[in-house]
Amino acid sequence: MNKTVLITGATSGIGLGCARKFAANGDRLILTGRNEEKLEQIRQELTAQGTEVLALAFDVRNREAATAAIEGLPDEWASVDVLVNNAGLALGLEPAYEGCVDDWETMIDTNIKGLLLMTRLVVPKMVARNSGHIINIGSVAGDAAYAGGNVYCATKAAVKAITDGLRIDVAHTALRVTNLKPGLVETNFSNVRFHGDEGRAATVYKGIKPLTGDDIADVAVYAANAPEHVQIAEVLILATHQASGSVIIRK
């Protein structure tokens, strides 16, 4: 049965991969992101392929805007079957004692508080219907810290704890909760982390074939379409020559 899938941070990377993969699966999409122009381009692309798409431009850090968007969903879109909490970012790679406080606040507000806010806005209706699936995009960085990762790693460790806690909270229902933990994924992630320094960003993927946003999206679609009695609780997805957040073999 076709589902209504809400994806945050849908304008690039894993979020865009999820949008295209869920569309190919026959689902209809609610796509959110900060870039209204890019959202509209993606909406037009997927609509031309026969997918129903509702685009909502807002920042998950903005409680008022997010609340207005979700509470204002038209009736025919109000029943979200799958929530993909993808919006997130890393900023900087400095030691904690040299980090930028503004970067820390942006990561915490997006990766943790934004995810919590979207969960709070969407999941109550899932519980009331006794049906739904929450897929949170965590990271291998949430398993163990790496050099310079400090606050980013902490936010992804929080995603794991929040996801595990939510799974416990809804265990009496038919809801399912999944944490996807990617390793090296070649998106604009590193470009954002290094504040647009493309040369430095390119070195992150040098000597290794990284994952793509589509690779992670494939796992998300699989988890969402597993039999109802199957809950894919957590998946760690790494490039073949990556063993952990800090062990990467480059050739």
Side-chain angles (χ1 to χ4, degrees):
M1 183 177 69
N2 293 350
K3 298 179 175 69
T4 298
V5 182
L6 194 163
I7 304 167
T8 66
T11 57
S12 64
I14 294 172
L16 179 55
C18 285
R20 288 171 173 159
K21 291 288 185 175
F22 276 105
N25 190 58
D27 299 312
R28 63 184 198 147
L29 308 175
I30 302 172
L31 304 180
T32 86
R34 293 176 296 169
N35 188 326
E36 187 170 2
E37 182 179 351
K38 187 68 183 295
L39 269 178
E40 178 58 20
Q41 291 173 359
I42 296 164
R43 188 195 68 78
Q44 291 182 15
E45 170 197 330
L46 297 178
T47 299
Q49 297 170 10
T51 301
E52 287 186 81
V53 181
L54 177 64
L56 302 174
F58 65 87
D59 190 330
V60 295
R61 295 177 296 170
N62 186 324
R63 184 192 302 184
E64 291 75 20
T67 300
I70 301 306
E71 292 185 350
L73 285 171
D75 290 343
E76 63 270 23
W77 289 95
S79 295
V80 175
D81 299 299
V82 180
L83 169 63
V84 181
N85 274 317
N86 165 74
L89 75 169
L91 291 170
L93 201 62
E94 297 82 14
Y97 59 86
E98 295 178 348
C100 172
V101 175
D102 287 342
D103 285 352
W104 294 349
E105 290 184 346
T106 299
M107 287 186 281
I108 291 167
D109 288 349
T110 306
N111 300 358
I112 302 176
K113 293 166 68 176
L115 180 147
L116 281 169
L117 176 60
M118 292 302 297
T119 300
R120 183 64 180 85
L121 290 171
V122 174
V123 174
K125 287 186 177 181
M126 291 182 173
V127 172
R129 297 194 316 269
N130 195 36
S131 175
H133 194 156
I134 303 92
I135 299 175
N136 291 334
I137 305 300
S139 172
V140 63
D143 288 345
Y146 55 75
N150 43 76
V151 174
Y152 174 70
C153 294
T155 66
K156 290 304 184 176
V159 170
K160 173 175 170 53
I162 292 165
T163 307
D164 290 345
L166 178 61
R167 193 179 304 110
I168 294 167
D169 290 340
V170 300
H172 65 291
T173 75
L175 274 65
R176 299 183 293 184
V177 184
T178 299
N179 182 18
L180 299 186
K181 304 188 300 182
L184 280 177
V185 182
E186 188 168 13
T187 64
N188 67 342
F189 175 89
S190 291
N191 190 283
V192 171
R193 163 168 259 170
F194 299 127
H195 299 281
D197 186 337
E198 295 183 4
R200 191 177 179 192
T203 65
V204 174
Y205 311 108
K206 188 176 181 180
I208 187 171
K209 184 174 183 179
L211 303 167
T212 69
D214 285 350
D215 294 327
I216 310 308
D218 282 335
V219 183
V221 172
Y222 173 81
N225 288 279
E228 290 184 0
H229 69 288
V230 177
Q231 179 171 213
I232 309 298
E234 185 172 286
V235 183
L236 176 64
I237 310 141
L238 302 175
T240 298
H241 295 293
Q242 178 177 17
S244 70
S246 58
V247 178
I248 300 167
I249 306 301
R250 302 179 188 274
K251 298 182 179 180

